[in-house]
């Protein structure tokens, strides 16, 4: 079992007596007490860092992002200081554990200055033990690409980009409210190619008034740049977005299904493996950070609205930071940015594991269920049998995975593991 050292760690106030642990250290001690679970080992740990500002809120976006307004745009220095304080306060919960992947998401993290990103990465390296081959990804939008700044990002330790292209079609970019045009989209990929050897392109399909041929052109253009990784998302009209209030005309279900079949054929012909619902990768180029989510690994989330899932020998907890940037910064000054913290109950753990793991086309190894949940597989035996009987699931003594039918009706398959 990986030990967690509760006191005397970096980030603890020096004026604090040695026999009086910090609040976070006291929490860590409490989490180490006997509980309802028995984990044989702790899963891999990732770090997520949220940057909540963007140039313009897109009409389809339901992420925790806020337009940077006014002359100052956003308080970079204050936010970076809050991130460091957030990470320092969380150290007792992850003490002794190595970080295998980092993802800086948003919002638009590429709005950060080169010096700001360098400061952030320096803080992370000074506080956390990073694996020597850690995957460190940053999201970037084409409207913010500057060749020299991205060279600086690379020098600061970023070794993978995730670029929010969405489309190479000028009309569709305008309909999506993106701040870049088709030329800037292509230029962004060229800059990424010249600076990074590992990057992802985000594309969307089933866009307002999009035809099958237009979707095919987008995918072909993306493949033409030979990105190591592609993420291809179906546009959904999420609640509390502009598109939900004023829905555009989008392709119907049949047209969307044709686009999905086309995507599968084109990516497969180009050598990309379809390993997760929306993820396609060249051999050996799967997104390791996202794989850790889908395999029910652990992650510490810092920054406004960031979520964490952390395992201890006898329990698994979730946390959420204050969502609004202003509230997050205010609570950082008060010394506690965690708004919600809950322990995941035994009845929910099986569903949460399956909700993630069934997104993977190759499924998961049977013993991984008990390793990550601390539960015996027989707690979901009834649901497994029902899913197998309906042809939605394949399993043997080594593997459990969705069938082709199960992938097509994934929501129905996942719901079967939600206990009454």
């Amino acid at each position: 079992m990986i030990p967690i050292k509760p006191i005397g760690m970096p980030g603890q106030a020096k004026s604090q007596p040695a026999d009086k642990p910090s609040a976070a250290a006291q929490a860590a001690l409490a989490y180490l007490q006997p509980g309802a679970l028995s984990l044989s080992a702790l899963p891999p740990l990732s770090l997520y860092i949220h940057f909540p500002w963007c140039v313009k809120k897109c009409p389809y976006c339901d992420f925790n992002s806020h337009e940077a307004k006014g002359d100052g745009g956003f308080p970079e220095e204050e936010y970076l200081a809050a991130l460091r304080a957030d990470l320092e306060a969380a150290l007792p919960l992850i003490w002794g554990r190595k970080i295998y992947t980092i993802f800086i998401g948003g919002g638009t993290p590429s709005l950060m200055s080169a010096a700001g990103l360098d400061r952030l990465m320096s803080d992370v390296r000074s506080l956390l033990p990073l694996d020597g081959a850690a995957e460190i990804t940053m999201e970037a939008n084409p409207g913010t690409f500057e060749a020299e700044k991205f060279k600086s990002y690379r020098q600061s330790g970023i070794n993978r980009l995730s670029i929010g292209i969405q489309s190479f079609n000028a009309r569709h970019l305008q309909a999506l409210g993106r701040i870049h045009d088709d030329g800037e989209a292509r230029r962004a990929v060229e800059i990424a190619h010249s600076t990074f050897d590992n990057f992802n392109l985000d594309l969307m399909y089933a866009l307002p008034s999009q035809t099958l041929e237009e979707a095919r052109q987008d995918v072909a253009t993306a493949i033409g740049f030979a990105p190591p990784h592609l993420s291809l998302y179906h546009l959904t009209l999420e609640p509390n977005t502009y598109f939900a209030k004023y829905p555009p005309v989008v392709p119907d279900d049949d047209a969307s299904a044709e686009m999905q079949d086309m995507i599968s054929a084109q990516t497969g012909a180009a050598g990309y493996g379809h390993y997760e619902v929306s993820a396609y990768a060249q051999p050996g180029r799967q997104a390791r950070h996202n794989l850790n989510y889908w395999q029910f690994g652990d992650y510490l989330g810092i920054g406004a609205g960031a979520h964490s899932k952390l395992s201890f020998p006898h329990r698994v907890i979730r946390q959420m930071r204050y969502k609004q940037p202003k509230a997050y910064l205010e609570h950082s000054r008060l010394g506690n940015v965690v708004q919600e913290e809950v322990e995941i109950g035994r009845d929910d753990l099986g569903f949460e594991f399956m909700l993630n793991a069934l997104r993977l086309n190759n499924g998961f190894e049977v013993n991984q269920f008990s390793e990550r949940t601390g539960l015996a597989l027989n707690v979901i035996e009834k649901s497994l049998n029902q899913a197998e009987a309906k042809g939605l699931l394949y399993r043997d003594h080594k593997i459990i995975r969705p069938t082709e039918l199960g992938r097509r009706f994934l929501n129905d398959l996942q719901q079967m593991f939600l206990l009454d």
Side-chain angles (χ1 to χ4, degrees), residues 48-54 74 76 103-113 117 137-141 144 149-150 153:
Y48 175 77
I49 304 171
H50 192 73
F51 181 88
W53 291 282
C54 55
F74 57 91
E76 179 172 282
F103 195 100
I104 307 172
T108 306
S110 51
L111 288 176
M112 254 189 293
S113 67
L117 189 278
T137 304
M138 185 178 74
E139 287 186 333
N141 286 337
T144 64
K149 186 164 75 168
F150 277 80
Y153 288 165

Side-chain angles (χ1 to χ4, degrees), residues 31 56 86-87 112 155 158-159 214 294 302 354 380:
Y31 295 142
K56 178 185 176 184
D86 190 349
L87 184 55
M112 254 189 293
Q155 292 168 358
I158 303 298
N159 55 30
E214 286 172 333
W294 298 321
I302 63 171
M354 298 301 283
I380 59 169

Side-chain angles (χ1 to χ4, degrees), residues 28 35 70 75 81 101 114 137 151 190-191 221 250 258 328 330 343 363 410:
T101 69
T137 304
K151 288 180 182 177
E190 290 169 358
I191 291 174
T221 300
V250 294
E258 286 185 355
Y328 176 78
E330 288 175 351
E343 182 173 335
L410 182 59

Side-chain angles (χ1 to χ4, degrees), residues 210-228:
Q210 187 180 40
T211 66
L212 177 61
E213 182 54 34
E214 286 172 333
R216 191 192 314 277
Q217 283 298 320
D218 264 353
V219 176
T221 300
I223 290 174
F225 284 108

Side-chain angles (χ1 to χ4, degrees), residues 5-222:
K5 186 178 180 181
I7 58 175
M9 62 221 84
Q12 183 174 324
K14 290 184 173 59
S15 61
Q16 193 171 331
D19 60 350
K20 186 181 179 183
S22 67
Q26 292 179 53
L29 282 169
Y31 295 142
L32 290 171
Q33 299 303 310
L37 307 178
S38 181
L39 296 175
S40 59
L42 301 186
L45 178 64
S46 295
L47 174 67
Y48 175 77
I49 304 171
H50 192 73
F51 181 88
W53 291 282
C54 55
V55 175
K56 178 185 176 184
K57 184 77 171 179
C58 296
Y60 58 85
C61 178
D62 69 337
F63 296 156
N64 182 30
S65 59
H66 308 266
E67 292 187 9
K69 297 178 179 178
D71 294 337
F74 57 91
E76 179 172 282
E77 293 297 315
E78 185 181 5
Y79 192 69
L80 290 171
L83 288 174
R84 181 182 176 104
D86 190 349
L87 184 55
E88 287 179 331
L91 289 179
L93 304 180
I94 59 170
W95 189 249
R97 300 179 66 180
K98 186 178 289 188
I99 300 293
Y100 290 91
T101 69
I102 299 173
F103 195 100
I104 307 172
T108 306
S110 51
L111 288 176
M112 254 189 293
S113 67
L117 189 278
D118 191 60
R119 172 183 169 182
L120 174 61
M121 291 305 302
S122 294
D123 286 345
V124 168
R125 281 192 294 267
S126 70
L127 294 171
L128 294 174
L130 302 186
D131 181 70
E135 175 193 271
I136 305 175
T137 304
M138 185 178 74
E139 287 186 333
N141 286 337
T144 64
F145 263 68
E146 300 170 20
E148 290 306 312
K149 186 164 75 168
F150 277 80
K151 288 180 182 177
S152 296
Y153 288 165
R154 179 65 189 263
Q155 292 168 358
S156 296
I158 303 298
N159 55 30
R160 184 177 182 270
L161 285 185
S162 184
I163 309 170
I165 298 293
Q166 314 314 350
S167 176
F168 291 99
N169 182 301
R171 179 170 58 87
H172 293 141
L173 287 170
Q174 187 174 22
L176 291 172
R178 304 296 289 175
I179 64 169
H180 65 274
D181 59 24
D182 53 322
E184 289 172 313
R186 289 172 170 80
R187 175 63 178 153
V189 185
E190 290 169 358
I191 291 174
H193 235 318
S194 67
T195 313
F196 293 84
D197 56 9
N198 195 10
F199 62 94
N200 165 68
L201 300 184
D202 271 354
L203 287 173
M204 301 173 76
Y205 66 96
L207 306 178
S209 72
Q210 187 180 40
T211 66
L212 177 61
E213 182 54 34
E214 286 172 333
R216 191 192 314 277
Q217 283 298 320
D218 264 353
V219 176
T221 300

Side-chain angles (χ1 to χ4, degrees), residues 3 65-66 70 73 81 109 166 172 212 219 223 261 264 280 295-296 304 356 372 381 390 397-398:
S65 59
H66 308 266
Q166 314 314 350
H172 293 141
L212 177 61
V219 176
I223 290 174
D261 290 342
S264 181
Y280 305 75
Q295 293 171 344
F296 212 53
N356 287 280
R372 300 292 162 91
E381 187 70 24
K390 291 184 177 182
H397 66 289
K398 289 185 178 181

